[in-house]
Amino acid sequence: MRTKVLITGQLHNVALEGFNQIAGLEIVYKPDVVFEELVPDLANTHVLVSRSETNVDRRLIDASPQLKVIARAAVGVGNIDLEYATERGILVLNTPGKNTNSAAELTLGLMLAMLRKIPEAQNKVKAGGWDRHRFSGFELKGKKVGIVGLGNVGHRVARFCRGFDCEVYAYDPYISPNVFSNHGATPVSSLLEIAEICDILTLHVPKNKETTNMIDRAVLQALGPQGYFVNAARGGVVDEKDLLWALETHVIAGAAIDTFEKEPGPWMDLVKHPNVYCTPHIGASTEEAQIAIGQTIVEQVRKALEGGVVDYHVNLPQVGVIDKPILKAYSTLAEKLGSIVGQVLDFNPKTVQLQYRGDIAELDNSIIRLSWMKGFATQVVDDYVSFVNVNKHIERLGIEISESTDPSFTSYNSALKIIVRGAQGQQITVGGVVFEERHIRLTLFNDFHFEVEPTGYLLLIENHDRPGVIGDVGHYLARGNVNISSFNLSRNKKGGRAMAIVSVDSQIPAPQLKQLKELPNVVSAKALFL
């Protein structure tokens, strides 16, 4: 069955071409249409790619029973019901940082247009007029600029403002003090304080429960009659009724707005005010930004559909930014180790301990834990499993997950060890390492040591350490026309038990596997697919 991707926002051609190059996808492109026109396609949509025009609410999600991924072709996700998407196990991803420069440049453009009255001057000239004195304005140089939110866009705005010789202040309670100094911004302890200090107040925050209507009458009054307000972040972070009140009563001097509470069709009483300078949410509307967003959204959707770890997840529980190659590689290894355990387990697990060893012991390993859980649950749960809902699956299975670190481990630079225990004392131990941040190897199964690439069809054979076993297994597989690509052998002691991990080119049918178990000295044989 083909995977259906429904695109409801305008994307650059580089994105459309990229999606069409991924095998097995059915692409439906319906940008900027109303919900009713989307309904016929939603019933069998697996991936929804949206921009701000599509309200991905409970109604839309309920109309999409096959939906697995919501991809936001921008950074903001205020138009998506994240809680309900998470409840449904739907992965939400976005493309942060791709329009950073474009949004920051627009912010400066709005400031300059407002201070220098550029739109009015242009309209006068285009109408045949010429009045140089009427359009006298202010320089940006020397102004105190207050930045609320010193993230990707905010710190870029700070750098640009410093280039205009502005005094830059910033309010952001979620970043460390050194970030302010790195970007040449003086930290301020509260929203009211920064409004009182600055001549221009500009917002660069997401819309969420904390930031909704954060700019209200009190903040605007603190900004004062010589102050200007800029919002190129998100609609709804300013109370628009309070903003219009502040403009009409001359509490502030002017406002520049790119994002509105209602889009399209913003509140015209606000838009038409003579001291409002506005644009139709064009912060990311540059060729460069749209190409970067298009390329990123294709790559992230591809990773999500392949079951991999996406770079820009929004609703993965308790997982931070996955910005280190070693974390991505070990998360892939962890998922494979989880899949191995899920395929070989013959008891009900009660506890799982993840041991992070060496260099990875110093990192945030939440994505590694989540990946192991996903790999395991995919093999044992008869339901859809994603990074988003796997915690609930593990809880239902009654498995307790614990973690430990061993930074002093020296056998490898880093290593991952998993110990799975049952209520009756049963135990399985698996482990692995990653070389050069990309070469994944299974190195431990119980007390047997290997260096095996965990991919494709594998046979896990435990046997008595006796002469002839390797030959017997090889001859048996040859008679069944099964080609061996690698044969890895380990033993716990001479004359004791041995284990082989055999990579083969094709699946072993169940009857053939059963006969393999009956070979002399073979204790057990399990077929895996990774």
Side-chain angles (χ1 to χ4, degrees):
M1 183 181 72
R2 292 169 69 83
T3 298
K4 183 173 179 179
V5 178
L6 176 61
I7 304 171
T8 64
Q10 286 197 359
L11 296 182
H12 195 278
N13 282 337
V14 73
L16 301 178
E17 293 169 2
F19 279 124
N20 283 317
Q21 290 174 6
I22 300 177
L25 296 188
E26 175 192 351
I27 308 300
V28 178
Y29 188 46
K30 287 189 173 182
D32 306 333
V33 302
V34 298
F35 172 77
E36 287 71 21
E37 295 179 57
L38 296 175
V39 170
D41 287 298
L42 291 173
N44 57 351
T45 289
H46 302 92
V47 178
L48 177 70
V49 181
S50 79
R51 294 188 67 186
S52 60
E53 293 80 4
T54 303
N55 188 19
V56 188
D57 56 9
R58 182 180 289 260
R59 179 178 65 157
L60 186 146
I61 293 172
D62 282 339
S64 314
Q66 304 299 317
L67 194 59
K68 302 294 185 291
V69 178
I70 298 170
R72 177 72 159 87
V75 60
V77 291
N79 62 317
I80 300 171
D81 189 334
L82 287 177
E83 290 185 5
Y84 192 52
T86 302
E87 181 183 328
R88 283 277 305 275
I90 300 168
L91 173 65
V92 180
L93 59 90
N94 63 351
T95 58
K98 306 307 171 182
N99 65 340
T100 293
N101 193 72
S102 296
E105 286 186 1
L106 178 70
T107 300
L108 268 292
L110 289 169
M111 289 182 188
L112 291 168
M114 184 164 51
L115 291 177
R116 296 300 305 272
K117 302 181 181 178
I118 294 172
E120 298 99 317
Q122 173 182 268
N123 291 339
K124 185 69 174 181
V125 175
K126 283 182 175 289
W130 189 272
D131 191 343
R132 295 175 62 193
H133 303 294
R134 178 183 171 188
F135 303 112
S136 178
F138 299 96
E139 290 185 355
L140 190 54
K141 178 182 178 180
K143 294 294 182 292
K144 296 182 176 73
V145 177
I147 299 171
V148 180
L150 202 59
N152 287 333
V153 177
H155 82 251
R156 191 99 177 131
V157 171
R159 180 179 298 181
F160 290 166
C161 287
R162 288 178 59 225
F164 277 88
D165 292 332
C166 298
E167 295 182 34
V168 179
Y169 299 83
Y171 168 64
D172 193 327
Y174 300 106
I175 61 175
S176 60
N178 66 297
V179 176
F180 292 91
S181 58
N182 288 344
H183 299 305
T186 301
V188 179
S189 60
S190 73
L191 190 55
L192 283 176
E193 182 184 356
I194 197 170
E196 290 172 348
I197 291 173
C198 67
D199 303 303
I200 303 171
L201 184 67
T202 177
L203 296 186
H204 302 286
V205 297
K207 183 187 177 184
N208 52 40
K209 291 179 180 178
E210 183 179 2
T211 62
T212 297
N213 292 335
M214 69 186 301
I215 305 300
D216 55 14
R217 288 194 179 201
V219 176
L220 295 168
Q221 285 174 320
L223 184 57
Q226 306 302 316
Y228 293 88
F229 172 72
V230 181
N231 181 20
R234 288 286 168 261
V237 294
V238 56
D239 187 317
E240 292 185 352
K241 291 181 180 178
D242 285 358
L243 180 58
L244 181 59
W245 165 83
L247 291 162
E248 289 179 338
T249 57
H250 306 289
V251 167
I252 64 171
I257 311 169
D258 182 52
T259 56
F260 296 85
E261 188 172 337
K262 181 183 177 185
E263 296 179 3
W267 187 29
M268 293 308 296
D269 288 351
L270 179 62
V271 169
K272 289 181 177 180
H273 192 280
N275 291 336
V276 168
Y277 297 76
C278 53
T279 47
H281 202 152
I282 60 171
S285 297
T286 63
E287 185 77 0
E288 295 86 350
Q290 290 307 306
I291 289 174
I293 289 170
Q295 292 171 335
T296 302
I297 205 73
V298 171
E299 179 64 12
Q300 295 304 297
V301 168
R302 182 189 64 77
K303 286 184 177 182
L305 292 177
E306 291 176 354
V309 179
V310 300
D311 301 271
Y312 308 116
H313 60 84
V314 175
N315 64 337
L316 293 192
Q318 301 175 347
V319 177
V321 175
I322 309 165
D323 57 356
K324 291 180 170 48
I326 193 171
L327 278 179
K328 295 178 183 179
Y330 268 94
S331 67
T332 302
L333 171 64
E335 187 165 354
K336 288 181 177 291
L337 294 180
S339 179
I340 290 171
V341 173
Q343 292 180 67
V344 304
L345 202 65
D346 56 5
F347 60 87
N348 292 326
K350 300 303 293 182
T351 66
V352 175
Q353 184 183 35
L354 287 80
Q355 298 180 359
Y356 310 114
R357 315 171 91 177
D359 292 345
I360 62 168
E362 308 290 347
L363 303 177
D364 175 4
N365 290 297
S366 49
I367 188 59
I368 298 178
R369 179 189 67 247
L370 206 62
S371 296
W372 186 90
M373 292 160 60
K374 179 174 178 284
F376 174 75
T378 299
Q379 297 297 332
V380 301
V381 172
D382 187 20
D383 197 359
Y384 171 61
V385 177
S386 72
F387 283 111
V388 178
N389 67 9
V390 70
N391 268 328
K392 292 184 178 179
H393 286 305
I394 295 296
E395 288 174 6
R396 292 191 191 105
L397 292 170
I399 300 174
E400 179 183 335
I401 307 288
S402 64
E403 299 168 283
S404 65
T405 59
D406 181 9
S408 62
F409 180 80
T410 57
S411 296
Y412 297 98
N413 289 337
S414 293
L416 176 64
K417 183 177 180 180
I418 317 288
I419 303 172
V420 183
R421 296 183 175 93
Q424 307 302 319
Q426 310 98 317
Q427 180 173 309
I428 287 179
T429 302
V430 294
V433 302
V434 176
F435 298 115
E436 298 178 354
E437 297 185 338
R438 56 196 175 94
H439 300 297
I440 296 168
R441 295 293 183 265
L442 169 66
T443 57
L444 181 67
F445 192 98
N446 290 338
D447 52 353
F448 300 103
H449 296 269
F450 303 91
E451 271 193 18
V452 178
E453 183 179 3
T455 187
Y457 296 103
L458 301 178
L459 286 173
L460 198 66
I461 302 171
E462 189 172 359
N463 59 277
H464 298 293
D465 185 26
R466 303 287 188 271
V469 176
I470 295 176
D472 289 344
V473 171
H475 284 114
Y476 177 77
L477 293 176
R479 289 196 302 270
N481 200 32
V482 176
N483 189 52
I484 296 174
S485 59
S486 69
F487 199 114
N488 298 269
L489 188 66
S490 175
R491 63 182 182 180
N492 53 17
K493 65 177 181 177
K494 184 177 180 179
R497 289 283 186 97
M499 177 174 283
I501 299 180
V502 186
S503 299
V504 294
D505 291 346
S506 57
Q507 185 176 7
I508 306 294
Q512 199 170 350
L513 184 64
K514 182 180 179 181
Q515 293 174 7
L516 178 61
K517 297 176 184 178
E518 296 172 355
L519 291 177
N521 293 308
V522 170
V523 177
S524 66
K526 296 180 183 292
L528 309 178
F529 178 71
L530 301 170

